[in-house]
Amino acid sequence: MNAVPPNESQDLAWLLQGLGDEVPAIRGSVLLSADGMLKAAHGFDRTSAEQMAALASSLFSITRSAGTRFDGSNEVRQVVAELRSSQLFISWAGFNSVLAVMASADADPAVVGFEMARLIRAVRPFLHTAARPAAAAGDRAPSP
């Protein structure tokens, strides 16, 4: 169940590969819908890419909630996490879309952030994710 047609997904993976080529410190990247569905990935196997999409969606959502509560806005520009040997960058990538990048610990955060923003700005309309239609009452699983 992919949110974009297969040929578009390949194009998006190519864009992510270009980001990694531009910044060699990037270990992998994923483009996901805001609700965590994987749209494209580069540098991760399928299982890791899906896990990264779920984690990025969660962190992005938590940050939006913090912004709503404490900043008066749910607009998130970027979330950055410094891990022991890696850095995780999560950015809004267009309507209902998020870009997550895992880079090495020695990556320059300014360079990674700049290149992520440059990619997003250049191709934002292609990164948008259409909202999923609401499930009809008959489509839901019965309650136990």
Side-chain angles (χ1 to χ4, degrees):
M1 182 182 292
N2 203 338
V4 294
N7 61 336
E8 190 174 334
S9 179
Q10 289 301 321
D11 292 344
L12 295 174
W14 179 81
L15 287 171
L16 298 179
Q17 179 180 356
L19 178 63
D21 292 346
E22 193 68 33
V23 185
I26 292 177
R27 295 179 177 166
S29 54
V30 296
L31 180 66
L32 55 133
S33 64
D35 62 357
M37 295 297 294
L38 180 65
K39 292 178 60 174
H42 177 72
F44 292 111
D45 62 52
R46 180 70 182 193
T47 300
S48 296
E50 288 175 348
Q51 289 175 335
M52 178 58 71
L55 290 167
S57 173
S58 298
L59 288 170
F60 192 80
S61 179
I62 289 168
T63 305
R64 286 181 75 178
S65 295
T68 299
R69 175 68 174 100
F70 300 107
D71 190 49
S73 170
N74 69 355
E75 188 177 310
V76 176
R77 292 185 187 137
Q78 188 175 60
V79 179
V80 179
E82 293 183 29
L83 309 172
R84 184 177 52 85
S85 60
S86 303
Q87 297 178 68
L88 175 61
F89 300 84
I90 304 167
S91 293
W92 177 79
F95 179 77
N96 203 27
S97 294
V98 176
L99 175 63
V101 169
M102 182 67 74
S104 61
D106 61 349
D108 183 340
V111 171
V112 175
F114 174 80
E115 292 299 335
M116 287 174 69
R118 189 169 73 121
L119 171 71
I120 291 166
R121 240 185 342 271
V123 296
R124 180 169 286 137
F126 299 103
L127 303 180
H128 293 326
T129 301
R132 279 193 245 295
D139 294 343
R140 295 187 190 131
S143 299

